[in-house]
Amino acid sequence: MNLKVQVRKKNLYIDGQWKEATEHASLTSPYSGDVIAYIPKANEEEVNEAIEAAVRAKTVMAKMPAHERAAILERLVALFEKRLDEAAEIIALEAAKPIATAIDEVKRTIQTYKFAAEEAKRIHGETLPLDAAPGGEKRVAYTVREPIGVIGAITPFNFPMNLVAHKVGPAIAAGNTIVLKPASQTPLSSFFLAELLQEAGLPNGAFNVITGSGRVVGDKIVTDDRIAAITFTGSPAVGIGIRNKAGLKRVTLELGSNAAVIIDKGIDIDSIINRCVKGAFSFQGQVCISLQRIYIHESLYETFVQKFVEATQQLKIGDPLDPSTDVSALISKGDVERTLDWIHEAKQHGAEVATGGIAKGNILLPTVLLNAESSLKVSCQEVFAPIVIINKVQAVEEAIEQVNDSRYGLQAGIYTDNVHTALTAAENLHVGGVMINDIPTFRVDHMPYGGVKESGVGREGIKYAVEEMTELKLVVFNRN
């Protein structure tokens, strides 16, 4: 594979122009440690310039016909399809995402922008029968959805193209403008997107990319009164801080999880092993809905553990640019050290390491823990690493209690052949999404996606994000 990304100094993208920042910082590969780029560190004045550009472009975007917004997104899709391999290499390089998984992410990104192009043409209101109330006679009422204005988007490292697409796509579809702060480790994907949007014909100022510290860039975006809405994906601690600072802004938060699956008695283990392994270890477990907890009926426990461990040990560890690699480096050395500490804590409290539990450089080997107590960090916090716990239960009801015994509630899964059990689980699991006969890691890009408790507020999925990014206006025409 020929790497197209070269080490070079990058610039901020403001008002359709590449602007050199006053300061830069080196960006290194999580896998090799090599410098791969020099990234601008914006100061408050530069962030202000980006917000001003977005404000100036507000009217242009709001007045743009829906078919033109859709056409821009359709051209963006065509450009992504043309440069798919290059986009995947950027992700693999900056995030250490195995290239096969990175290709899948780009394909999903393309789907996300396709959905956004389609949704741009479906934004509508409704008519209301005002004569249903006394005094409402001879009046005609209808609602319309209008762009909310400037969107402040703050995105994480783990899906540097597709999670950005889930914010940028609906924002453009709805006629808004965007100031984007990508994760510090994965800004190259966002600069690449800026290049494509420029080529696709998005008006200057409608999309701006500002990199730098959360304290400077993030705080300015969150607190500036000219920004009407914040959409954030990241940790609960940061998300709670954003909500506390945002005032009356609309805020959508996609936060953490320790997603679980329940496996009922009578399930064909062979048919789900590979699916569960993929859910636990895809992109080193650095996925919000990565399979972190498995609760399995005691009659299947021993067989499941044996086969799960065997399948885990077949995963190939190595260079993210190698097409055969399944698991590569964690995003930072600090995350390796943290997860090793969590594994050590689990062992001290009686958990058994069935496989893994050690690191090679920045690669944590896929780790399976058995009989981990619910109070341990590997159980009750978001591990965001290739670690999964497997615990036996006597009944599905017990497993549901274990799943719900969590600060989080993003998605959960259950495998069962009993429709009554499935419906009971769907009713009683306190999460944003229940996947029946699948792992919690399932997501397609037009479904509503979001959680309860500390997993966040609001919903993504293009149609649902458009609702978050528009204001509902009522119009009443008096015919009296």
Side-chain angles (χ1 to χ4, degrees), residues 344-360:
H344 180 67
E345 177 201 56
K347 289 165 63 178
Q348 283 189 316
H349 288 80
E352 175 189 347
V353 179
T355 189
I358 60 172
K360 294 182 178 179

Side-chain angles (χ1 to χ4, degrees), residues 181-202:
K181 182 200 176 299
S184 297
Q185 180 57 44
T186 54
L188 301 180
S189 293
S190 294
F191 291 132
F192 180 78
L193 172 62
E195 180 185 333
L196 298 192
L197 280 171
Q198 189 176 50
E199 189 175 347
L202 188 70

Side-chain angles (χ1 to χ4, degrees), residues 104-251:
D104 286 343
E105 179 179 344
V106 180
K107 289 179 178 177
R108 281 187 58 190
T109 300
I110 290 168
Q111 284 294 319
T112 301
Y113 285 119
K114 281 184 178 179
F115 285 128
E118 295 163 0
E119 206 59 46
K121 296 177 278 190
R122 292 199 286 254
I123 300 172
H124 58 83
E126 60 183 357
T127 58
L128 289 87
L130 292 191
D131 62 355
E137 298 88 346
K138 294 188 178 181
R139 285 175 169 80
V140 176
Y142 62 91
T143 61
V144 294
R145 285 200 168 272
E146 297 183 340
I148 199 168
V150 181
I151 305 290
I154 303 174
T155 56
F157 74 85
N158 57 332
F159 285 87
M161 286 195 184
N162 196 39
L163 288 183
V164 168
H166 272 281
K167 301 178 188 312
V168 173
I172 294 173
N176 295 301
T177 61
I178 309 110
V179 178
L180 169 66
K181 182 200 176 299
S184 297
Q185 180 57 44
T186 54
L188 301 180
S189 293
S190 294
F191 291 132
F192 180 78
L193 172 62
E195 180 185 333
L196 298 192
L197 280 171
Q198 189 176 50
E199 189 175 347
L202 188 70
N204 291 345
F207 179 64
N208 307 273
V209 182
I210 301 295
T211 50
S213 76
R215 183 178 55 82
V216 175
V217 179
D219 282 2
K220 178 65 175 174
I221 289 172
V222 170
T223 58
D224 195 288
D225 290 337
R226 294 167 294 177
I227 289 180
I230 301 293
T231 174
F232 168 80
T233 301
S235 72
V238 176
I240 292 168
I242 286 173
R243 197 169 188 187
N244 290 338
K245 295 175 184 176
L248 292 177
K249 290 182 179 67
R250 188 85 55 84
V251 177

Side-chain angles (χ1 to χ4, degrees), residues 5-13 18-29 33-42 93-94 184-188 191 211-212:
V5 180
Q6 298 178 347
V7 178
R8 56 177 177 160
K9 187 165 71 172
K10 307 295 289 186
N11 295 317
L12 302 169
Y13 186 71
W18 295 99
K19 174 183 172 58
E20 185 163 355
T22 54
E23 186 179 357
H24 284 75
S26 60
L27 179 69
T28 59
S29 160
D34 296 336
V35 174
I36 55 178
Y38 295 95
I39 304 302
K41 293 181 65 177
L93 188 71
E94 66 180 353
S184 297
Q185 180 57 44
T186 54
L188 301 180
F191 291 132
T211 50

Side-chain angles (χ1 to χ4, degrees), residues 110-405:
I110 290 168
Q111 284 294 319
T112 301
Y113 285 119
K114 281 184 178 179
F115 285 128
E118 295 163 0
E119 206 59 46
K121 296 177 278 190
R122 292 199 286 254
I123 300 172
H124 58 83
E126 60 183 357
T127 58
L128 289 87
L130 292 191
D131 62 355
E137 298 88 346
K138 294 188 178 181
R139 285 175 169 80
V140 176
Y142 62 91
T143 61
V144 294
R145 285 200 168 272
E146 297 183 340
I148 199 168
V150 181
I151 305 290
I154 303 174
T155 56
F157 74 85
N158 57 332
F159 285 87
M161 286 195 184
N162 196 39
L163 288 183
V164 168
H166 272 281
K167 301 178 188 312
V168 173
I172 294 173
N176 295 301
T177 61
I178 309 110
V179 178
L180 169 66
K181 182 200 176 299
S184 297
Q185 180 57 44
T186 54
L188 301 180
S189 293
S190 294
F191 291 132
F192 180 78
L193 172 62
E195 180 185 333
L196 298 192
L197 280 171
Q198 189 176 50
E199 189 175 347
L202 188 70
N204 291 345
F207 179 64
N208 307 273
V209 182
I210 301 295
T211 50
S213 76
R215 183 178 55 82
V216 175
V217 179
D219 282 2
K220 178 65 175 174
I221 289 172
V222 170
T223 58
D224 195 288
D225 290 337
R226 294 167 294 177
I227 289 180
I230 301 293
T231 174
F232 168 80
T233 301
S235 72
V238 176
I240 292 168
I242 286 173
R243 197 169 188 187
N244 290 338
K245 295 175 184 176
L248 292 177
K249 290 182 179 67
R250 188 85 55 84
V251 177
T252 301
L253 302 175
E254 299 295 341
L255 306 177
S257 184
N258 55 351
V261 71
I262 299 167
I263 302 173
D264 195 9
K265 59 186 177 182
I267 294 298
D268 176 13
I269 295 301
D270 291 332
S271 68
I272 67 171
I273 284 289
N274 289 337
R275 180 72 172 154
C276 290
V277 169
K278 182 177 181 181
F281 302 125
S282 181
F283 188 36
Q284 293 83 266
Q286 297 170 128
V287 180
C288 294
I289 42 177
S290 178
L291 177 53
Q292 184 174 329
R293 298 182 291 159
I294 298 174
Y295 298 105
I296 183 164
H297 192 272
E298 58 188 0
S299 64
L300 301 175
Y301 177 80
E302 299 295 341
T303 302
F304 182 87
V305 168
Q306 177 188 343
K307 293 187 175 184
F308 190 96
V309 168
E310 289 173 355
T312 298
Q313 292 171 342
Q314 297 302 310
L315 296 173
K316 181 171 179 181
I317 314 300
D319 188 338
L321 290 170
D322 182 343
S324 66
T325 294
D326 296 307
V327 175
S328 190
L330 286 175
I331 199 67
S332 73
K333 183 179 180 181
D335 283 288
V336 177
E337 294 170 350
R338 171 185 62 82
T339 51
L340 287 173
D341 286 344
W342 287 17
I343 292 168
H344 180 67
E345 177 201 56
K347 289 165 63 178
Q348 283 189 316
H349 288 80
E352 175 189 347
V353 179
T355 189
I358 60 172
K360 294 182 178 179
N362 272 5
I363 299 176
L364 179 72
L365 298 190
T367 300
V368 178
L369 298 174
L370 309 179
N371 304 314
E373 298 174 1
S374 61
S375 61
L376 296 173
K377 291 186 178 71
V378 292
S379 299
C380 67
Q381 297 190 30
E382 182 176 39
V383 69
F384 231 58
I387 299 174
V388 64
I389 68 168
I390 307 175
N391 287 353
K392 70 176 72 172
V393 293
Q394 294 181 335
V396 167
E397 291 76 14
E398 178 188 350
I400 291 173
E401 289 181 7
Q402 291 290 325
V403 174
N404 288 342
D405 183 21

